[in-house]
Amino acid sequence: MSVMEAPEAPAALVAGEEDAMAQLFAEIRARRDEFGRQRFVPKEFIAQLKKLGVYRAATPKCFGGTGLAPADFLRLVEKISEADGSVGWVASFGSASVYLAALPKATQARLYAGSPDLTFAGGLFPIQPATQVDGGWMVDGTWKFASGCKGADMLGVGIGAAVPGQPGAKPRTAVLPPEQVEIVDNWDVMGLAGTGSHDLKVTQQFVPDEWTFIRGGVPTIDEPLYRYPTIAYAAQVLGVVNLGIARAAIDEINRMSGGRVAITGAPKLADRSYVRIEVAKAEAMLRSARAFLYDATGEVWHTILAGDPVTPEQVSLLRLTAVEIARAGNEVVQNMFGLAGTTAIYSHHPLQRCLRDAAVVKQHAFLGEGIYDGAGAVTLGVPPMPGYL
């Protein structure tokens, strides 16, 4: 499937909800400073994202979810990120139910019994040792970067076995209700401030076996979405935030280009050839990265729907799309900030937010330079770094 064959609009738009989407995006723009100041997106706004279908997108169809195709979900997160990167980042975790598909099916039935619109947030690292006891695990420790934790219905933490004779046991995720977890309010960062990626602290809580799963483990639900590469998808939904932020940055330069003459008397931005050249280059870079993302994603989805296995080469290509869109988006934002000149140095300027948010997206471990090394290794037929595939 080529990018030209893929639908351009998010699924919600196809369903005839254009007006509701436009109103929601307007509210995000109006409240994004508020979200940044309080350092999280509140539950009452998460409820609006639920109405949009963000948090049932990865819920199994058998439990009332939509099982949304990855490309459609990525477009939805991209569009939300145009309005605000932090809200887009929090919305991206609507894909987190692909992890939960590794829970026992009976556990999932209980999880979604109240509603398919489930918000799940996790502080997975650093992996903390847990003691295996009869019927489950005693969990204790502190975990970092739990984006969206203040609006979550369930929380997950990463644990490893602290059992004699099992030093190499694979890490797993323990799922707990919010009342069993303390949120350590310490998210104080330069960008994506509204994501509320605080620490999680658990003190000697018992978690039954059936409420734990191996991260990226074999799903117990047989639906197409859960055959899409889990870790690659987790990286893509984060990287796509930078496509939305970059589009917002180009749009901001467009708004500025015909505005007032500079205080120095220099021509308007649109009348400067170097500005026109850089905007054209930015448009080409952004669209190229975007096409790469949706073309590779569509190809893998087509493979899955055809009933064929996803190859290591395809998984690697998906990992590469994620790091490339994060890099390209960040570069576009930096270039647009440069074009804006002195005007953009003021803290209230929209390009300030874009600059900080895009830089933080690029810093995520899933989107670092090392991913290019892994992708290059697979392309050249040599073993990639451990954990890459």
Side-chain angles (χ1 to χ4, degrees), residues 24-242:
L24 181 64
F25 297 151
E27 182 176 353
I28 292 173
R29 291 185 177 95
R31 298 184 64 183
R32 57 193 178 189
D33 287 339
E34 169 199 336
F35 298 157
R37 285 192 302 270
Q38 68 186 20
R39 294 177 294 127
F40 67 95
V41 179
K43 275 195 171 184
E44 50 87 9
F45 193 83
I46 294 294
Q48 294 195 55
L49 295 178
K50 286 184 176 182
K51 291 179 182 178
L52 194 62
V54 169
Y55 294 103
R56 66 174 58 195
T59 298
K61 290 184 177 180
C62 61
F63 297 124
T66 57
L68 199 62
D72 286 333
F73 185 74
L74 289 166
R75 287 190 182 91
L76 184 56
V77 173
E78 179 187 0
K79 196 68 180 174
I80 294 170
S81 301
E82 284 186 40
D84 182 53
S86 287
V87 179
W89 188 270
V90 170
S92 78
F93 289 94
S95 67
S97 289
V98 297
Y99 287 130
L100 298 175
L103 285 167
K105 194 168 183 178
T107 301
Q108 293 184 62
R110 293 175 60 188
L111 195 62
Y112 300 114
S115 171
D117 298 299
L118 182 84
T119 53
F120 175 69
L124 301 178
F125 298 102
I127 300 295
Q128 300 286 359
T131 304
Q132 192 169 18
V133 295
D134 186 28
W137 303 82
M138 290 304 300
V139 178
D140 189 89
T142 301
W143 295 261
K144 302 190 73 62
F145 303 120
S147 298
C149 58
K150 288 195 173 184
D153 300 313
M154 297 295 288
L155 295 166
V157 295
I159 61 174
V163 182
Q166 297 184 21
K170 290 183 179 180
R172 62 179 59 224
T173 297
V175 180
L176 303 97
E179 57 267 23
Q180 293 182 356
V181 182
E182 176 188 352
I183 294 176
V184 182
D185 199 322
N186 61 355
W187 186 240
D188 184 15
V189 291
M190 60 168 274
L192 294 182
T195 63
S197 305
H198 304 287
D199 287 5
L200 301 181
K201 184 177 181 180
V202 177
T203 303
Q204 288 297 310
Q205 292 288 338
F206 172 73
V207 180
D209 277 325
E210 62 269 23
W211 285 93
T212 72
F213 64 90
I214 299 298
R215 185 168 175 263
V218 178
T220 57
I221 303 292
D222 185 19
E223 294 180 10
L225 181 58
Y226 310 113
R227 296 196 287 273
Y228 194 84
T230 306
I231 304 300
Y233 193 28
Q236 287 183 308
V237 299
L238 300 179
V240 80
V241 171
N242 260 8

Side-chain angles (χ1 to χ4, degrees), residues 303 307-311 314:
T303 296
D308 297 326
V310 177
T311 68
Q314 287 178 310

Side-chain angles (χ1 to χ4, degrees), residues 230-281:
T230 306
I231 304 300
Y233 193 28
Q236 287 183 308
V237 299
L238 300 179
V240 80
V241 171
N242 260 8
L243 292 187
I245 296 173
R247 173 52 60 198
I250 293 175
D251 288 348
E252 183 59 30
I253 287 295
N254 188 29
R255 281 189 288 272
M256 295 174 63
S257 65
R260 64 178 177 81
V261 176
I263 59 173
T264 61
K268 296 177 182 179
L269 289 179
D271 293 333
R272 306 177 199 181
S273 64
Y274 76 89
V275 172
R276 297 193 296 267
I277 289 169
E278 288 304 315
V279 169
K281 288 181 177 179

